[in-house]
Amino acid sequence: MWRDRGRRLPVHLGEVELATDEVRGVPVDGPVRLLVRHGTRVLGELRVAAGEGRDPAAVIERCRTAFADALWSGDVVEHHTPPLDASDVSIVICTRDRPTLLAECLAAIGALEPPPGAVIVVDSASTTDATGRVAEEAGATLHRLEVPGLDRARNVGWQAAAGDVVLYVDDDALLDRRAAQVAASTMVTGSVAAVTGLVLPAEVATMAQLRFERRDGMSKGFRRKLFNERVAPVGFKTYAVGVGACMAFRRSVLADIGGFDPLLDVGTETRGAGDFDAFFRVLEAGHTIVYEPSLVARHVHRRTHRAWLRQMIGYGYGYTGYLEKHRWSGNGAATRELRRWHLHQRGLQLSEALVHRRWSDVVEKVAEGYGSLFGARAYRRERDRQADV
Amino acid sequence: MPSAQPRREHVGVWRILNLELAEPLEDVETSDCDGLHVIASYRGVPVAQFGLPTPLDFHPGQWLADELALRANPAMHRIDLRRAALPPHDRELPPATVVVCTRDRPEALRRCARSLAALSPPVDEVLVVDNGDPSSGTAEVAREAGFRYVREPLAGLSRARNRALGEVSTDIVLFTDDDVEVDPGWAGRLLEHFGDPLVGAVTGLVLPREMTTRAQRLFETHSGFSRGFVGRVVDGATMSPYRAGSTGAGASMGFRIDNLRRAGGFVEWLDAGMPTGSGADTLALHQVLSQGYRIIYDAEAVAHHTHRSSLDDLGPLLRNYGNGIFSYLLASARIEPLPSVLLSGLRWSSSYILRRLVRGYLRRPGSPPYWMPLEELRGALTAPLAVRRAERIVATRPPVPIGATSSDGWRQRLERDAVRSATRRPTASVRHELPSVSVVIPTRNRREEVLELVELLQHQRYDDGRLEIVVCLDGDVDGTENALRHRELRRRPTLVRLEDTGSDVHHGHGAGPVRNRGAAAATNDVILFLDDDVRPVDRELLLRHAAAHGDADTVAVGPCPPSYRDEDRYLPRIGRGWWVDQTRHLIDGQWLGFTDLTTANVSLERGAFLGVGGFEALPRREDWELGYRLLQRGCRLQAVPGAIVEHHGEPTVASYLDDVRREGTGDARFMRLHPETYGALTLLHWRYMGPRRRRIVRALLDGAQVPARFVRGAGPPLLDLLERGGLPERFSRGLGNLSAVMYWTGVAEEVGSLSTWRSLVASAEAVPWEPAGPHLDLVTGALELPRPGQRQELRVLMDGVFLDSAPMRWGGIPWSRAAMLDAVLAEHGAAARARRLAAGRVPDVA
């Protein structure tokens, strides 16, 4: 349990590589979250409380013990070679007015090994030219849009990409060294249409970030998961599949489903859920999505409480907007899903949070609920607005 | 009804993939299916099952390996270690009958019969009860397989099973269904557990035989028969009988037939063929627990059930189950006190049905589609009506004879086992004649018991000239001395009397000093200590003890199972379980430590006894302490399982709590004398206490009197309430808490203050390890137990490298190797597996 009481900030983030017994970023004191890996595999996370010994050898021993079972499996000799490699991957970064973060993001991408086939920056109507300068300095291909909208930018991204795989990264996320390779090799056969990755925090420096991470943040766990409407369905709950901060699609599949929906996500009235909608339509088309925890990105979460709250409200907006879209297109299941979602979030989870007196969860649920009041209307307004244009 | 519309969950073609993990893992071809239902075993023992969706023509090798590693590796380590550290013992299997009740399914029955014919070791008899149409071909199948065939014309699974009870001549009966195939080792595994006389029923693991359709997959995932891959004991003495359903079901279960007959067989108006649909098997298991007996769930006794393949059958099936569970609850209301019925009914409906219903409706991951619990709920709601209709049907029928209960109880069985094991084992006797024996009996205010014991000793087969009886009176309030003097006896007891100056009103001088005086008065070579409240079960007691004394260093320990008048009370049941385990331990005779020496029935050379200086003046535990010194002196503990006495004290909660308090004092004094024994005494709980309990214990050690006063006053009536409410689980937990308070109060009486206690612990923990002393290696499985004089702890090693210490108390019982091993594994298993992996000691799956 990740209790904030008595904890000291910041929480340090370190890494342990068990194949070479390397330890990175373990300070002398303060709590640490260690990402433990073995070669390309991510085994899990080990949390070391403040005041525990930090001898590197002891840390490695602890990791070996904690992941003894996961380590055991080793590598099975596959009878085939992955059809794709990193050079088939085009990385797309959609950004707007965040040149500093973008520079860091591009620097992380520059360090990828093996390097990706292409790096594309889509400038989504930034007000200054700083974004363009940063992108050009990093040697990325730059596309500029005059109309804001994340999904619009994402569409430009895949249309401009050359490779078979499009890996989307948020401008406030840092890709892991092996990301391009893992994304490509996870697409084992034609029916894996998309791969989502594990998104971990890039820093836990403020209480807002700690709160966000307490409920696992954007992480979907350290077990590989498979989603497919026939054998492992999720329905509309595509928030279980992954997050837009790190996701890869086959370009052909994006073309088939018609890309992302420009009415959704940041930059429009609906404020989010463009990724969920894309996952939903990919699954609906009968494809498979794999959640691969070895595909790692680190995301800079909102630093202030105000921004955190706004994000929560945004989730409410986005999710209801996305359901409104499918309700409008005649899918009755979306209405039922909306009812279930409210019952679960506002009914069960909120009462549970109240019973256990987890006030930050209460605030989170209420904020999300507040946002959900306006999502449907926001979607309709956005639709009308774009129809006018 | 929701079942009309197509549902989206888990469709596609699935198949079962059986894996043996001791062999290298191969990549799997999955183009023919949408998912794999993986059943993994290791060295023939099933360790995990899970579903792996594979909607693609991809190669799930790595994925499979990752999943298996997380799910199966701990179990594999445990299996390896148990094989290395625990010596196998081959027990005689009791004769048994397998009963298969069938109804118009000759094809399924044929497969079942084939698997039963292949059982190894084979069972004595297989009985097929035909509850269907006589022309369906069931009789032919039974005849072809060479099984006995009985027809029961009146429909009802319970009726058929009861009919079988009347036909069976063996003590054990195993049940399976006609749509089940069993593994060859199935019966052998189940029967092995009946060596414990308190085991009333056994159950086994039921795995799916095929997984082709969605109905089968839904059933296995969300309802199913599997009860996990870890075997366990559910003891009716300490656990709620409502746990019966979690141990298993009719597809694979076995009973001691006596327990069934005493419960009146299966309840005829429950189960298939009746409007109630199911539930009689659970109720039968329930009654075994309710009688205070044990159920053992053995995850290595494997049977394979063919689930219904059609989705249309699944709804009615679930409705049947819901109906059955609720009918079972209604039936249990007639034998159990109301509070326990209400509690379990509430728990079942809220945490099982409603929770699954809500989660299913919200489509939470891992929950069944909501129509499944809904069907169960529908069934449950119709249960009262179903019960009424079923009872009306049964009322018109003639009763079926289920056979007479035998007069044998668990005690007779235990005694038979003990005597049989005594004849099997060669005695160490090298003397040409038997030694002269003094029987020393300390007593205090138990006139009738002592008179009876002395009377019974007259009938023991032994040379009069070589036998002496010494009764040592610890004060004499009730005229024991007079009564003994005036009784006409051939073997007159020598009477030794201590003046009544004991400080404790109830306990006089204490058993230790009294026994010392008795032993001083004794003149013969061998002293046999008996308690005053025991009763020899046959005339061989003295002979058996005497025969064990081949050399001067033998200490012969005999069992003393209890014989309580009222075995339906919870406290006697708990005590009974402890003594039965202890007796069985003596019968197995694997490793005896000083904690096995109980003075109620022990004999030793007088020279040895005087040589170590007799008993110390401890209020309790004087027996362990003596045993410890004897072992240190080089004596050898030998079990004489045939020399049985029955112990017939009648425990009450108040007297038990008082005993526990004195145990605490005794333990503390014991530890003062021999600090190295810390790891084998209950005192060790100090090291592993949670913060709350530790706070209380600290206060007690600092002299707080209020808790003990409260426990003495309010404890017994509170526990009595729980007993009347039919809540054995809460009772035993409550008793554990209360006795912990009393125990530490007792410890405080000895040590005086917290700081003294702390220094005592420090001195105990400072006792050095002996090089190459007792150890348990978690990688190689090497196990060596400590000798007296050594620190009573194991060093846990990994490939020879010290990891931690494991006290002998771990696992709860100081003398159970298996329990100890499990406790160590739970604590250090992961670290050992990491080392095992690094050392490359595991079969390579790659």
Short mmCIF file of all heavy atoms in Angstrom, two decimals, chain A residues 64-65 68-69 71-76 78-80 189 191 223-224 229-231 237 288 340 344 348, chain B residues 8 11 27 34 56 59 62-63 65-67 69-70 73 361-364 830-831 833-834 845-846:
data_model
loop_
_atom_site.label_atom_id
_atom_site.label_comp_id
_atom_site.label_asym_id
_atom_site.label_seq_id
_atom_site.Cartn_x
_atom_site.Cartn_y
_atom_site.Cartn_z
N ARG A 64 16.35 -10.13 -7.00
CA ARG A 64 16.39 -11.52 -7.44
C ARG A 64 15.40 -12.36 -6.65
O ARG A 64 14.74 -13.24 -7.18
CB ARG A 64 17.79 -12.10 -7.26
CG ARG A 64 18.74 -11.64 -8.33
CD ARG A 64 19.99 -12.50 -8.37
NE ARG A 64 20.87 -11.99 -9.39
CZ ARG A 64 20.73 -12.24 -10.69
NH1 ARG A 64 19.74 -13.02 -11.09
NH2 ARG A 64 21.54 -11.72 -11.57
N THR A 65 15.32 -12.06 -5.34
CA THR A 65 14.38 -12.80 -4.51
C THR A 65 12.94 -12.46 -4.88
O THR A 65 12.10 -13.34 -5.04
CB THR A 65 14.63 -12.45 -3.03
OG1 THR A 65 15.98 -12.77 -2.74
CG2 THR A 65 13.72 -13.24 -2.13
N ALA A 68 12.04 -14.02 -8.24
CA ALA A 68 12.62 -15.35 -8.47
C ALA A 68 11.77 -16.15 -9.45
O ALA A 68 12.29 -16.80 -10.36
CB ALA A 68 12.73 -16.10 -7.15
N ASP A 69 10.45 -16.07 -9.27
CA ASP A 69 9.59 -16.89 -10.12
C ASP A 69 9.53 -16.35 -11.54
O ASP A 69 9.53 -17.11 -12.49
CB ASP A 69 8.20 -16.96 -9.51
CG ASP A 69 8.24 -17.65 -8.17
OD1 ASP A 69 9.05 -18.57 -8.02
OD2 ASP A 69 7.50 -17.25 -7.27
N LEU A 71 11.80 -14.69 -13.03
CA LEU A 71 13.09 -14.93 -13.67
C LEU A 71 13.20 -16.35 -14.19
O LEU A 71 13.92 -16.63 -15.14
CB LEU A 71 14.20 -14.71 -12.66
CG LEU A 71 14.80 -13.32 -12.57
CD1 LEU A 71 15.72 -13.26 -11.39
CD2 LEU A 71 15.55 -13.01 -13.85
N TRP A 72 12.50 -17.24 -13.53
CA TRP A 72 12.68 -18.65 -13.78
C TRP A 72 12.40 -19.02 -15.23
O TRP A 72 13.04 -19.89 -15.80
CB TRP A 72 11.77 -19.45 -12.84
CG TRP A 72 11.80 -20.90 -13.05
CD1 TRP A 72 12.76 -21.75 -12.60
CD2 TRP A 72 10.86 -21.70 -13.74
NE1 TRP A 72 12.46 -23.03 -12.96
CE2 TRP A 72 11.31 -23.02 -13.66
CE3 TRP A 72 9.67 -21.41 -14.42
CZ2 TRP A 72 10.61 -24.06 -14.24
CZ3 TRP A 72 8.98 -22.45 -14.99
CH2 TRP A 72 9.45 -23.75 -14.90
N SER A 73 11.43 -18.34 -15.83
CA SER A 73 10.97 -18.80 -17.14
C SER A 73 12.05 -18.70 -18.21
O SER A 73 12.04 -19.45 -19.16
CB SER A 73 9.76 -18.00 -17.57
OG SER A 73 10.17 -16.85 -18.23
N GLY A 74 12.99 -17.80 -18.04
CA GLY A 74 14.04 -17.68 -19.04
C GLY A 74 13.48 -17.36 -20.41
O GLY A 74 12.40 -16.81 -20.53
N ASP A 75 14.20 -17.71 -21.41
CA ASP A 75 13.73 -17.42 -22.76
C ASP A 75 13.47 -18.73 -23.48
O ASP A 75 14.30 -19.61 -23.52
CB ASP A 75 14.78 -16.62 -23.52
CG ASP A 75 14.86 -15.20 -22.98
OD1 ASP A 75 13.79 -14.62 -22.75
OD2 ASP A 75 15.97 -14.72 -22.76
N VAL A 76 12.28 -18.81 -24.03
CA VAL A 76 11.95 -19.97 -24.83
C VAL A 76 12.42 -19.70 -26.25
O VAL A 76 12.24 -18.60 -26.77
CB VAL A 76 10.44 -20.21 -24.81
CG1 VAL A 76 10.06 -21.30 -25.79
CG2 VAL A 76 10.01 -20.60 -23.42
N GLU A 78 11.96 -19.37 -29.71
CA GLU A 78 10.80 -19.27 -30.60
C GLU A 78 11.18 -19.89 -31.94
O GLU A 78 12.32 -19.81 -32.37
CB GLU A 78 10.40 -17.80 -30.79
CG GLU A 78 10.13 -17.07 -29.48
CD GLU A 78 8.69 -17.20 -29.02
OE1 GLU A 78 7.89 -17.87 -29.72
OE2 GLU A 78 8.36 -16.66 -27.95
N HIS A 79 10.19 -20.50 -32.55
CA HIS A 79 10.48 -21.16 -33.81
C HIS A 79 10.37 -20.22 -35.00
O HIS A 79 10.24 -20.64 -36.13
CB HIS A 79 9.53 -22.33 -34.02
CG HIS A 79 9.67 -23.37 -32.95
ND1 HIS A 79 10.88 -23.77 -32.49
CD2 HIS A 79 8.75 -24.06 -32.26
CE1 HIS A 79 10.72 -24.68 -31.56
NE2 HIS A 79 9.43 -24.87 -31.38
N HIS A 80 10.33 -18.95 -34.75
CA HIS A 80 10.14 -18.02 -35.85
C HIS A 80 10.84 -16.72 -35.51
O HIS A 80 11.14 -16.46 -34.34
CB HIS A 80 8.66 -17.76 -36.05
CG HIS A 80 8.03 -17.18 -34.82
ND1 HIS A 80 7.75 -15.85 -34.70
CD2 HIS A 80 7.71 -17.74 -33.64
CE1 HIS A 80 7.25 -15.62 -33.50
NE2 HIS A 80 7.21 -16.76 -32.83
N THR A 189 2.24 -11.57 -35.32
CA THR A 189 1.61 -11.94 -36.58
C THR A 189 0.64 -10.85 -36.98
O THR A 189 0.39 -9.92 -36.21
CB THR A 189 0.84 -13.26 -36.46
OG1 THR A 189 -0.02 -13.13 -35.34
CG2 THR A 189 1.76 -14.42 -36.29
N SER A 191 -2.43 -10.47 -36.99
CA SER A 191 -3.63 -10.09 -36.26
C SER A 191 -3.37 -9.23 -35.04
O SER A 191 -4.30 -8.71 -34.45
CB SER A 191 -4.43 -11.34 -35.87
OG SER A 191 -3.57 -12.27 -35.30
N ARG A 223 1.87 -7.80 -16.05
CA ARG A 223 1.60 -9.05 -16.76
C ARG A 223 1.15 -8.70 -18.17
O ARG A 223 0.39 -7.76 -18.39
CB ARG A 223 0.47 -9.83 -16.08
CG ARG A 223 0.81 -10.31 -14.69
CD ARG A 223 1.65 -11.55 -14.71
NE ARG A 223 0.85 -12.76 -14.69
CZ ARG A 223 0.49 -13.40 -13.58
NH1 ARG A 223 0.84 -12.94 -12.42
NH2 ARG A 223 -0.19 -14.52 -13.64
N ARG A 224 1.62 -9.47 -19.11
CA ARG A 224 1.21 -9.27 -20.49
C ARG A 224 -0.29 -9.55 -20.59
O ARG A 224 -0.81 -10.44 -19.92
CB ARG A 224 1.95 -10.27 -21.36
CG ARG A 224 2.15 -9.83 -22.76
CD ARG A 224 2.96 -10.87 -23.49
NE ARG A 224 4.39 -10.72 -23.28
CZ ARG A 224 5.19 -11.75 -23.02
NH1 ARG A 224 4.71 -12.95 -22.88
NH2 ARG A 224 6.48 -11.55 -22.89
N GLU A 229 -12.04 -9.10 -29.11
CA GLU A 229 -13.48 -9.12 -28.83
C GLU A 229 -14.06 -10.52 -28.79
O GLU A 229 -15.06 -10.78 -28.17
CB GLU A 229 -14.24 -8.27 -29.85
CG GLU A 229 -14.46 -6.85 -29.45
CD GLU A 229 -14.87 -6.67 -27.98
OE1 GLU A 229 -13.99 -6.54 -27.11
OE2 GLU A 229 -16.08 -6.67 -27.71
N ARG A 230 -13.39 -11.46 -29.49
CA ARG A 230 -13.95 -12.80 -29.52
C ARG A 230 -13.58 -13.61 -28.27
O ARG A 230 -14.43 -14.23 -27.65
CB ARG A 230 -13.44 -13.54 -30.76
CG ARG A 230 -14.54 -13.94 -31.71
CD ARG A 230 -14.00 -14.09 -33.11
NE ARG A 230 -12.96 -15.11 -33.16
CZ ARG A 230 -13.20 -16.42 -33.12
NH1 ARG A 230 -14.43 -16.85 -33.03
NH2 ARG A 230 -12.23 -17.29 -33.20
N VAL A 231 -12.33 -13.61 -27.92
CA VAL A 231 -11.92 -14.50 -26.85
C VAL A 231 -11.60 -13.79 -25.53
O VAL A 231 -11.65 -14.40 -24.48
CB VAL A 231 -10.69 -15.34 -27.26
CG1 VAL A 231 -11.08 -16.32 -28.31
CG2 VAL A 231 -9.56 -14.47 -27.70
N LYS A 237 -14.86 -0.83 -22.22
CA LYS A 237 -13.89 -0.50 -21.17
C LYS A 237 -12.47 -0.52 -21.72
O LYS A 237 -11.59 -1.22 -21.19
CB LYS A 237 -13.98 -1.51 -20.04
CG LYS A 237 -15.26 -1.45 -19.25
CD LYS A 237 -15.13 -2.45 -18.13
CE LYS A 237 -16.32 -2.53 -17.23
NZ LYS A 237 -17.62 -2.32 -17.76
N THR A 288 -6.56 -7.79 -32.70
CA THR A 288 -6.09 -8.06 -31.35
C THR A 288 -5.15 -6.96 -30.89
O THR A 288 -4.37 -6.45 -31.69
CB THR A 288 -5.34 -9.40 -31.33
OG1 THR A 288 -6.25 -10.41 -31.71
CG2 THR A 288 -4.80 -9.71 -29.95
N ARG A 340 -23.38 1.46 -16.26
CA ARG A 340 -22.49 0.61 -15.46
C ARG A 340 -21.32 1.42 -14.92
O ARG A 340 -20.93 1.26 -13.77
CB ARG A 340 -21.92 -0.50 -16.34
CG ARG A 340 -22.92 -1.55 -16.67
CD ARG A 340 -22.21 -2.80 -17.12
NE ARG A 340 -23.20 -3.75 -17.56
CZ ARG A 340 -23.53 -3.97 -18.81
NH1 ARG A 340 -22.92 -3.29 -19.77
NH2 ARG A 340 -24.45 -4.83 -19.13
N HIS A 344 -20.42 1.98 -11.07
CA HIS A 344 -19.18 1.49 -10.53
C HIS A 344 -18.37 2.62 -9.91
O HIS A 344 -17.96 2.54 -8.75
CB HIS A 344 -18.37 0.80 -11.63
CG HIS A 344 -17.12 0.16 -11.11
ND1 HIS A 344 -15.88 0.54 -11.51
CD2 HIS A 344 -16.95 -0.83 -10.22
CE1 HIS A 344 -14.98 -0.20 -10.86
NE2 HIS A 344 -15.60 -1.04 -10.09
N LEU A 348 -20.07 2.20 -6.35
CA LEU A 348 -19.23 1.33 -5.54
C LEU A 348 -17.95 2.01 -5.09
O LEU A 348 -17.63 2.07 -3.92
CB LEU A 348 -18.90 0.06 -6.32
CG LEU A 348 -20.07 -0.87 -6.58
CD1 LEU A 348 -19.59 -2.16 -7.20
CD2 LEU A 348 -20.84 -1.15 -5.31
N ARG B 8 -21.19 -12.35 -25.28
CA ARG B 8 -19.94 -12.14 -25.99
C ARG B 8 -18.73 -12.74 -25.30
O ARG B 8 -17.66 -12.75 -25.84
CB ARG B 8 -19.72 -10.65 -26.17
CG ARG B 8 -20.88 -9.95 -26.85
CD ARG B 8 -20.64 -8.48 -26.90
NE ARG B 8 -20.12 -8.02 -25.63
CZ ARG B 8 -19.18 -7.10 -25.51
NH1 ARG B 8 -18.65 -6.58 -26.58
NH2 ARG B 8 -18.76 -6.71 -24.32
N VAL B 11 -15.79 -16.64 -26.27
CA VAL B 11 -16.25 -17.55 -27.31
C VAL B 11 -15.05 -18.14 -28.01
O VAL B 11 -13.90 -17.95 -27.62
CB VAL B 11 -17.17 -16.84 -28.32
CG1 VAL B 11 -18.50 -16.58 -27.69
CG2 VAL B 11 -16.53 -15.60 -28.83
N ASP B 27 7.32 -25.04 -27.87
CA ASP B 27 6.42 -24.05 -28.40
C ASP B 27 5.16 -24.77 -28.88
O ASP B 27 5.21 -25.93 -29.27
CB ASP B 27 7.09 -23.31 -29.56
CG ASP B 27 6.46 -21.94 -29.73
OD1 ASP B 27 5.42 -21.70 -29.10
OD2 ASP B 27 7.02 -21.13 -30.47
N ASP B 34 -8.73 -20.94 -30.43
CA ASP B 34 -8.71 -19.55 -30.02
C ASP B 34 -8.13 -19.36 -28.63
O ASP B 34 -7.99 -18.25 -28.16
CB ASP B 34 -10.12 -18.98 -30.05
CG ASP B 34 -10.66 -18.96 -31.45
OD1 ASP B 34 -10.11 -18.23 -32.27
OD2 ASP B 34 -11.62 -19.70 -31.71
N LEU B 56 -4.71 -15.84 -32.31
CA LEU B 56 -3.91 -15.59 -33.49
C LEU B 56 -3.11 -16.84 -33.78
O LEU B 56 -2.94 -17.70 -32.94
CB LEU B 56 -2.96 -14.43 -33.24
CG LEU B 56 -3.02 -13.82 -31.84
CD1 LEU B 56 -1.65 -13.61 -31.31
CD2 LEU B 56 -3.77 -12.54 -31.93
N HIS B 59 2.86 -17.91 -31.71
CA HIS B 59 3.51 -18.98 -30.96
C HIS B 59 3.61 -18.55 -29.50
O HIS B 59 4.39 -17.67 -29.17
CB HIS B 59 4.90 -19.23 -31.53
CG HIS B 59 4.87 -19.49 -33.00
ND1 HIS B 59 4.89 -20.75 -33.52
CD2 HIS B 59 4.75 -18.65 -34.06
CE1 HIS B 59 4.81 -20.68 -34.83
NE2 HIS B 59 4.73 -19.41 -35.19
N GLN B 62 6.85 -18.23 -25.31
CA GLN B 62 7.40 -17.35 -24.27
C GLN B 62 6.34 -16.92 -23.28
O GLN B 62 6.54 -16.89 -22.08
CB GLN B 62 8.02 -16.11 -24.95
CG GLN B 62 8.72 -15.18 -23.98
CD GLN B 62 9.89 -15.85 -23.31
OE1 GLN B 62 10.79 -16.36 -23.97
NE2 GLN B 62 9.90 -15.89 -21.99
N TRP B 63 5.18 -16.62 -23.82
CA TRP B 63 4.05 -16.18 -23.00
C TRP B 63 3.70 -17.27 -22.00
O TRP B 63 3.53 -17.05 -20.80
CB TRP B 63 2.87 -15.91 -23.93
CG TRP B 63 1.83 -15.06 -23.35
CD1 TRP B 63 1.37 -15.10 -22.07
CD2 TRP B 63 1.12 -14.04 -24.01
NE1 TRP B 63 0.40 -14.16 -21.90
CE2 TRP B 63 0.22 -13.50 -23.08
CE3 TRP B 63 1.13 -13.52 -25.31
CZ2 TRP B 63 -0.65 -12.46 -23.40
CZ3 TRP B 63 0.26 -12.50 -25.62
CH2 TRP B 63 -0.61 -11.96 -24.68
N ALA B 65 5.62 -19.66 -21.00
CA ALA B 65 6.71 -19.84 -20.03
C ALA B 65 6.63 -18.80 -18.93
O ALA B 65 6.80 -19.12 -17.75
CB ALA B 65 8.06 -19.75 -20.74
N ASP B 66 6.32 -17.54 -19.30
CA ASP B 66 6.21 -16.49 -18.29
C ASP B 66 5.09 -16.78 -17.31
O ASP B 66 5.24 -16.64 -16.10
CB ASP B 66 5.96 -15.14 -18.96
CG ASP B 66 7.17 -14.67 -19.76
OD1 ASP B 66 8.21 -15.33 -19.63
OD2 ASP B 66 7.06 -13.67 -20.49
N GLU B 67 3.93 -17.18 -17.85
CA GLU B 67 2.79 -17.46 -16.99
C GLU B 67 3.08 -18.63 -16.06
O GLU B 67 2.79 -18.60 -14.87
CB GLU B 67 1.55 -17.78 -17.84
CG GLU B 67 0.89 -16.57 -18.45
CD GLU B 67 0.26 -15.67 -17.39
OE1 GLU B 67 -0.37 -16.19 -16.45
OE2 GLU B 67 0.43 -14.45 -17.51
N ALA B 69 5.90 -19.71 -15.05
CA ALA B 69 6.90 -19.37 -14.04
C ALA B 69 6.23 -18.77 -12.83
O ALA B 69 6.48 -19.15 -11.70
CB ALA B 69 7.91 -18.40 -14.63
N LEU B 70 5.31 -17.82 -13.07
CA LEU B 70 4.67 -17.14 -11.95
C LEU B 70 3.70 -18.05 -11.22
O LEU B 70 3.54 -17.97 -10.01
CB LEU B 70 3.95 -15.89 -12.45
CG LEU B 70 4.88 -14.80 -12.94
CD1 LEU B 70 4.07 -13.68 -13.58
CD2 LEU B 70 5.71 -14.25 -11.80
N ASN B 73 6.04 -22.11 -10.34
CA ASN B 73 7.38 -22.29 -9.80
C ASN B 73 7.40 -22.55 -8.29
O ASN B 73 8.10 -23.45 -7.83
CB ASN B 73 8.26 -21.09 -10.15
CG ASN B 73 9.73 -21.40 -10.00
OD1 ASN B 73 10.12 -22.55 -10.13
ND2 ASN B 73 10.51 -20.41 -9.70
N TYR B 361 -22.71 -7.69 -13.38
CA TYR B 361 -23.49 -6.68 -14.09
C TYR B 361 -22.59 -5.53 -14.53
O TYR B 361 -22.71 -5.00 -15.63
CB TYR B 361 -24.62 -6.16 -13.21
CG TYR B 361 -25.36 -5.02 -13.85
CD1 TYR B 361 -26.19 -5.27 -14.94
CD2 TYR B 361 -25.17 -3.72 -13.45
CE1 TYR B 361 -26.84 -4.24 -15.57
CE2 TYR B 361 -25.81 -2.68 -14.08
CZ TYR B 361 -26.64 -2.94 -15.14
OH TYR B 361 -27.27 -1.92 -15.80
N LEU B 362 -21.66 -5.15 -13.67
CA LEU B 362 -20.76 -4.05 -14.02
C LEU B 362 -19.64 -4.50 -14.95
O LEU B 362 -18.82 -3.70 -15.37
CB LEU B 362 -20.14 -3.46 -12.75
CG LEU B 362 -21.11 -2.79 -11.80
CD1 LEU B 362 -20.41 -2.35 -10.54
CD2 LEU B 362 -21.76 -1.59 -12.47
N ARG B 363 -19.63 -5.80 -15.24
CA ARG B 363 -18.62 -6.38 -16.12
C ARG B 363 -17.22 -6.10 -15.64
O ARG B 363 -16.35 -5.66 -16.40
CB ARG B 363 -18.78 -5.85 -17.55
CG ARG B 363 -20.12 -6.14 -18.09
CD ARG B 363 -20.08 -6.37 -19.56
NE ARG B 363 -21.39 -6.78 -20.00
CZ ARG B 363 -21.84 -6.64 -21.21
NH1 ARG B 363 -21.07 -6.12 -22.13
NH2 ARG B 363 -23.04 -7.05 -21.54
N ARG B 364 -16.99 -6.28 -14.38
CA ARG B 364 -15.63 -6.14 -13.87
C ARG B 364 -14.80 -7.30 -14.39
O ARG B 364 -15.33 -8.40 -14.59
CB ARG B 364 -15.61 -6.15 -12.33
CG ARG B 364 -16.42 -5.09 -11.67
CD ARG B 364 -16.28 -3.73 -12.27
NE ARG B 364 -14.91 -3.22 -12.29
CZ ARG B 364 -14.47 -2.29 -13.13
NH1 ARG B 364 -15.28 -1.79 -14.06
NH2 ARG B 364 -13.24 -1.88 -13.06
N ALA B 830 11.10 -17.80 -1.82
CA ALA B 830 11.47 -17.01 -2.99
C ALA B 830 12.98 -16.83 -3.09
O ALA B 830 13.57 -16.98 -4.16
CB ALA B 830 10.78 -15.65 -2.93
N ALA B 831 13.61 -16.57 -1.96
CA ALA B 831 15.06 -16.38 -1.97
C ALA B 831 15.75 -17.66 -2.43
O ALA B 831 16.70 -17.63 -3.22
CB ALA B 831 15.55 -15.98 -0.58
N ARG B 833 14.49 -19.96 -4.29
CA ARG B 833 14.26 -20.20 -5.71
C ARG B 833 15.20 -19.36 -6.57
O ARG B 833 15.66 -19.79 -7.61
CB ARG B 833 12.80 -19.95 -6.07
CG ARG B 833 11.90 -21.04 -5.55
CD ARG B 833 10.56 -20.99 -6.24
NE ARG B 833 9.80 -19.80 -5.89
CZ ARG B 833 9.14 -19.64 -4.76
NH1 ARG B 833 9.14 -20.60 -3.87
NH2 ARG B 833 8.46 -18.55 -4.52
N ALA B 834 15.44 -18.15 -6.09
CA ALA B 834 16.39 -17.30 -6.82
C ALA B 834 17.76 -17.96 -6.87
O ALA B 834 18.41 -18.01 -7.91
CB ALA B 834 16.48 -15.93 -6.15
N VAL B 845 13.43 -25.04 -18.86
CA VAL B 845 12.23 -25.11 -19.68
C VAL B 845 12.49 -24.66 -21.11
O VAL B 845 11.70 -24.89 -21.99
CB VAL B 845 11.08 -24.25 -19.11
CG1 VAL B 845 10.54 -24.87 -17.87
CG2 VAL B 845 11.55 -22.84 -18.88
N ALA B 846 13.60 -23.99 -21.31
CA ALA B 846 13.83 -23.40 -22.62
C ALA B 846 14.01 -24.48 -23.69
O ALA B 846 14.56 -25.51 -23.46
CB ALA B 846 15.06 -22.53 -22.59
#
